[in-house]
Amino acid sequence: MSKPILSIRDLHIHYGAIAALKGVSLDVANGEIVALIGANGAGKTTLMSSICGIPAPRSGSIVYEGEDIAGASSYEAARRGIAIAPEGRRIFPRMSVAENLLMGGWLQTQASQKERMEFVFGLFPRLKERRSQSAGTLSGGEQQMLAIGRALMSKPKLLLLDEPSLGLAPQISRQIFQALAMINRELGLTVLLAEQDAHHALKLASRGYVMVTGNVNLSGSSADLLSDPKVRAAYLEGGRH
């Protein structure tokens, strides 16, 4: 693995008396896709959110491009080139598709915003067709495309995706994963992907981490994890092979 753009060490996060993360460590190299898999409640969302500044860790480090950003603000994370498409999408339902995208490009110049919006429309043509439509009237798949497109508007160096396939039809999920593979291949964009759909996540990623009750229980290449009996039994049996 090349030099990590993101290196997390012994990260502990608590919500009151509840330990959400219990010493998580992981690395993401520049230009790779890394999958973070695990059941609902394993701590994936907490980990992803902490990279963006909320919540702040009790202890441990989040080193991004050589600097520890643990506890830094969300603004600082965005300024440094970290963007997230959060679980549940969190689009602005009363705003149009175009207005939602512009919200994601708030740190860019007007010319850069226009260029980036055309890139997003090329990636997700449905959004171009619906650019003037209220985001709240989009289908679930279109809203997920919008959430990812909004994150891409900032020209991130590190894209965090939290459960992008949640609640979507398999065909739509495949389209989204194909788009992610394309931007990684053509732009070299680094992606950390948190997913309950272990099969699709590991097929897309080069490496993966398995989270169980607030910690990393297993890690390795995607091929090794896909063939691991414990991973197959917990996350793949009865699914796609």
Side-chain angles (χ1 to χ4, degrees), residues 145-212:
M145 293 173 189
L146 180 57
I148 295 171
R150 183 179 59 188
L152 290 171
M153 284 290 295
S154 65
K155 294 188 175 181
K157 300 175 186 177
L158 173 63
L159 177 63
L160 308 176
L161 299 173
D162 194 0
E163 304 287 2
S165 73
L166 187 64
L168 301 185
Q171 182 181 357
I172 301 299
S173 295
R174 282 193 294 271
Q175 290 177 13
I176 288 174
F177 280 113
Q178 287 168 1
L180 295 174
M182 188 275 287
I183 59 174
N184 171 257
R185 182 176 62 252
E186 296 190 6
L187 302 181
L189 180 61
T190 308
V191 179
L192 179 59
L193 168 67
E195 257 292 343
Q196 289 186 58
D197 187 336
H199 177 87
H200 273 134
L202 292 173
K203 285 289 186 180
L204 178 68
S206 58
R207 296 187 303 110
Y209 293 86
V210 181
M211 286 195 70
V212 179

Side-chain angles (χ1 to χ4, degrees), residues 26-223:
L26 61 80
D27 293 301
V28 180
N30 193 34
E32 75 172 340
I33 299 178
V34 173
L36 187 64
I37 65 173
N40 187 33
K44 303 187 302 298
T45 293
T46 295
L47 176 59
M48 301 287 270
S49 299
S50 70
I51 298 169
C52 295
I54 300 173
R58 177 172 289 189
S59 61
S61 62
I62 304 173
V63 177
Y64 172 73
E65 292 192 316
E67 292 189 37
D68 191 353
I69 62 169
S73 67
S74 298
Y75 169 80
E76 182 64 18
R79 190 188 67 79
R80 289 174 177 267
I82 301 173
I84 186 169
E87 181 182 16
R89 299 146 196 166
R90 300 184 194 173
I91 59 166
F92 302 101
R94 296 185 180 181
M95 291 184 178
S96 70
V97 166
E99 288 168 339
N100 268 269
L101 291 175
L102 288 173
M103 291 294 287
W106 60 284
L107 284 171
Q108 304 297 312
T109 64
Q110 190 171 2
S112 181
Q113 286 176 346
K114 183 178 180 180
E115 175 191 357
R116 200 62 175 176
M117 190 177 293
E118 288 306 314
F119 167 77
V120 171
F121 287 156
L123 191 65
F124 299 121
R126 289 191 191 186
L127 297 183
K128 185 172 186 178
E129 296 169 7
R130 293 157 174 74
R131 62 185 302 162
S132 300
Q133 188 172 324
S134 295
T137 64
L138 300 178
S139 69
E142 291 163 350
Q143 289 185 12
Q144 186 61 67
M145 293 173 189
L146 180 57
I148 295 171
R150 183 179 59 188
L152 290 171
M153 284 290 295
S154 65
K155 294 188 175 181
K157 300 175 186 177
L158 173 63
L159 177 63
L160 308 176
L161 299 173
D162 194 0
E163 304 287 2
S165 73
L166 187 64
L168 301 185
Q171 182 181 357
I172 301 299
S173 295
R174 282 193 294 271
Q175 290 177 13
I176 288 174
F177 280 113
Q178 287 168 1
L180 295 174
M182 188 275 287
I183 59 174
N184 171 257
R185 182 176 62 252
E186 296 190 6
L187 302 181
L189 180 61
T190 308
V191 179
L192 179 59
L193 168 67
E195 257 292 343
Q196 289 186 58
D197 187 336
H199 177 87
H200 273 134
L202 292 173
K203 285 289 186 180
L204 178 68
S206 58
R207 296 187 303 110
Y209 293 86
V210 181
M211 286 195 70
V212 179
T213 58
N215 211 339
V216 171
N217 193 45
L218 191 65
S219 65
S221 71
S222 292

